[in-house]
Amino acid sequence: MRYLLFGLPLLALIALVAVFAFSIDRDPNLVRSVLIDKPAPAFALDAVPELGVPGFDTAALKGEVTVVNVFASWCIPCRDEHPLLMALNQIEGLRLFGINQADAPENARAFLAELGNPYDAVGADRDRRVSIDWGVYGVPETFVVDAEGIITFKHVGPLTPETVETELLPAIEKARKAT
């Protein structure tokens, strides 16, 4: 009985060390999405009032490859990635839609007025309901949706020049070839 009392905690410790050892080489920024290769969730987002671009819904994602970026004015990393979104907007045949998460309309307008508006459409997700349906953990997050409305890629966190070059642009090309 005495060996059992000392042996069980030791076995638990060994099991815990094994779990950590096998997980050490995993990318902590990689958050798999159950939505990859599935249709975008059904939703409809109203436009941010007085922004000058429309809101959007599930049906609007069909027809062309679309990058969907979840952002907020209060998000510091969103500010950091914004110049990259402005550059993405210049790519021919690529649409860029924004989901503005939990923002007051005046703050969203001020954010985009200051930094520029790269979005062809911006939906106001004030209660975060649509973001939850998309599996968003936090802002910013970026998705690629193919012309059939299928989510083919998800990037968690701010885009960097490296992630745009090595992950996002290849995902966009792959989505274009799939249709």
Side-chain angles (χ1 to χ4, degrees), residues 45 100-103 124-132:
L45 289 172
N100 180 238
Q101 188 187 78
D103 237 345
D125 187 17
R126 290 193 193 106
D127 62 2
R128 299 181 178 161
R129 186 75 243 156
V130 171
S131 297
I132 290 168

Side-chain angles (χ1 to χ4, degrees), residues 35-112:
L35 296 177
I36 299 298
D37 296 328
K38 294 198 170 67
F43 71 95
L45 289 172
D46 292 331
V48 173
E50 301 171 29
L51 185 58
V53 295
F56 67 103
D57 59 15
T58 309
L61 295 173
K62 294 187 177 180
E64 293 180 55
V65 173
T66 308
V67 173
V68 178
N69 176 257
V70 184
F71 76 100
S73 65
W74 45 264
C75 164
I76 302 302
C78 295
R79 185 174 287 275
D80 293 340
E81 78 172 1
H82 202 79
L84 296 169
L85 297 172
M86 295 296 289
L88 279 176
N89 185 284
Q90 302 304 310
I91 295 174
E92 187 72 31
L94 179 69
R95 298 184 305 176
L96 183 58
F97 288 3
I99 297 177
N100 180 238
Q101 188 187 78
D103 237 345
E106 60 273 12
N107 294 343
R109 285 192 305 270
F111 178 82
L112 294 174

Side-chain angles (χ1 to χ4, degrees), residues 89-162:
N89 185 284
Q90 302 304 310
I91 295 174
E92 187 72 31
L94 179 69
R95 298 184 305 176
L96 183 58
F97 288 3
I99 297 177
N100 180 238
Q101 188 187 78
D103 237 345
E106 60 273 12
N107 294 343
R109 285 192 305 270
F111 178 82
L112 294 174
E114 176 188 346
L115 300 176
N117 184 358
Y119 303 108
D120 300 302
V122 177
D125 187 17
R126 290 193 193 106
D127 62 2
R128 299 181 178 161
R129 186 75 243 156
V130 171
S131 297
I132 290 168
D133 291 345
W134 278 69
V136 172
Y137 292 88
V139 290
E141 289 192 17
T142 304
F143 299 83
V144 174
V145 181
D146 72 12
E148 302 299 317
I150 306 297
I151 298 172
T152 60
F153 173 81
K154 176 182 181 179
H155 177 79
V156 176
L159 296 170
T160 65
E162 180 183 344

Side-chain angles (χ1 to χ4, degrees), residues 11 24 47 51 58 69 93 110 172 177:
L11 285 174
I24 201 146
L51 185 58
T58 309
N69 176 257
I172 292 167
K177 290 177 183 173

